[in-house]
Amino acid sequence: MTAHDGHLELLARGEITVRGRIREASNAALYCAVVLDGREAHCVYKPVAGERPLWDFPDGTLAQREVAAYELSEATGWGLVPPTVLRDGPYGEGMCQLWIEADPEQSLLALVDGDEPEDGWKAVGLAEVGEGRTALLVHADDARLRRLAVLDAVINNGDRKGGHLLPAADGRLYAIDHGVTFNVEDRLRTLLWGWAGEPLTEEALAVLEVLDASLGDGAPLAGRLSELITRDETAAVRGRVRALRTSARHPQPAGHWPAIPWPPV
């Protein structure tokens, strides 16, 4: 049993009541209450019927990818993705994820003047800020973000924006919006390039070793992923894990695909 088991049951079996729509989301994303046996929480429900077609992903698969990202996150032991399930809801099958309130006092991204970041920050690159001015985009040199950079490399996240980072008041970091993940082709687009080319931490290498074993033929994680993504996509996850173990370094932008998502926040 994990710390999230109670939330998973609530999300999977509870009665969902839609409270509103998250309008800034590119696909249908509904803010909901979910109730079961006197317990209540808030959640995000993304019905498959509200997914917009994408040229590089099969139609109607984004909800499954969100759940697969949660499964991978749990397998790392880092708990970076909020509890997420696939279930039927008011508008059909969809992804249901625990709502996380971000702590506005925690700053993980910034635009600064100068060519080099200050201590405690990592440079991403120059960004246009209007009127012909540029500023240096930086992210915190934070162990939680560094773990997330490894997870994103494993799941091949094509859309790691600043708004997807939710630092909670209890000190934990959560990451959301994982619909465009697990592509067989290299699609890594992220704001977390600050460690690009640097050696992976010993912790990360140990986690990758565990993932490698967990993704072997017949292993439970591999079986669970096969229910959510294709066989080729599952094999590509295993390939990325092994490539990271071999290089023992954070990946660098491949050059044939935009390295930073747009808009970045």
Side-chain angles (χ1 to χ4, degrees):
M1 178 175 291
T2 73
H4 290 323
D5 281 352
H7 283 136
L8 290 174
E9 181 186 26
L10 177 58
L11 293 171
R13 297 181 49 227
E15 181 180 356
I16 294 176
T17 302
V18 177
R19 301 296 191 197
R21 182 170 183 175
I22 303 171
R23 296 193 178 277
E24 58 267 28
S26 57
N27 296 289
L30 305 174
Y31 176 69
C32 304
V34 59
V35 179
L36 178 68
D37 298 333
R39 293 178 293 150
E40 180 175 359
H42 291 101
C43 64
V44 176
Y45 162 55
K46 297 182 181 180
V48 172
E51 294 180 5
R52 292 165 51 183
L54 298 172
W55 68 269
D56 52 349
F57 287 89
D59 292 350
T61 66
L62 304 191
Q64 291 94 322
R65 294 170 194 279
E66 295 250 24
V67 178
Y70 168 72
E71 297 287 352
L72 253 296
S73 170
E74 288 299 283
T76 66
W78 289 333
L80 292 166
V81 179
T84 311
V85 302
L86 191 68
R87 60 162 291 172
D88 193 41
Y91 299 101
E93 185 178 60
M95 180 277 283
C96 187
Q97 184 176 81
L98 185 69
W99 179 267
I100 302 295
E101 287 288 347
D103 180 1
E105 299 300 317
Q106 296 189 52
S107 178
L108 299 174
L109 296 167
L111 288 167
V112 299
D113 294 324
D115 298 326
E116 296 292 335
E118 296 182 356
D119 290 344
W121 295 87
K122 305 289 284 187
V124 179
L126 293 175
E128 294 185 7
V129 293
E131 299 180 352
R133 292 182 58 246
T134 60
L136 186 65
L137 177 62
V138 298
H139 64 68
D141 189 3
D142 185 302
R144 301 170 302 172
L145 285 182
R146 191 164 190 173
R147 290 169 176 170
L148 183 58
V150 175
L151 177 65
D152 281 343
V154 170
I155 67 177
N156 198 16
N157 192 349
D159 195 33
R160 175 59 71 215
K161 298 176 180 176
H164 301 166
L165 307 175
L166 303 180
D170 63 3
R172 295 189 61 173
L173 173 70
Y174 293 95
I176 60 171
D177 284 354
H178 297 104
V180 288
T181 50
F182 297 103
N183 201 304
V184 172
E185 303 296 329
D186 183 4
R187 289 288 187 270
L188 185 60
R189 293 196 305 172
T190 176
L191 289 179
L192 303 180
W193 287 117
W195 297 283
E198 292 187 15
L200 293 168
T201 64
E202 291 298 323
E203 177 195 44
L205 289 171
V207 165
L208 290 168
E209 182 178 2
V210 170
L211 286 182
D212 199 350
S214 300
L215 289 164
D217 292 338
L221 179 60
R224 177 59 177 142
L225 290 183
S226 70
E227 300 171 357
L228 299 165
I229 58 178
T230 70
R231 179 181 301 177
D232 287 345
E233 289 167 342
T234 301
V237 174
R238 186 182 303 121
R240 287 191 294 271
V241 168
R242 291 179 177 174
L244 286 167
R245 293 187 66 194
T246 299
S247 71
R249 292 183 177 274
H250 286 272
Q252 300 188 69
H256 60 270
W257 184 253
I260 296 176
W262 187 263
V265 177

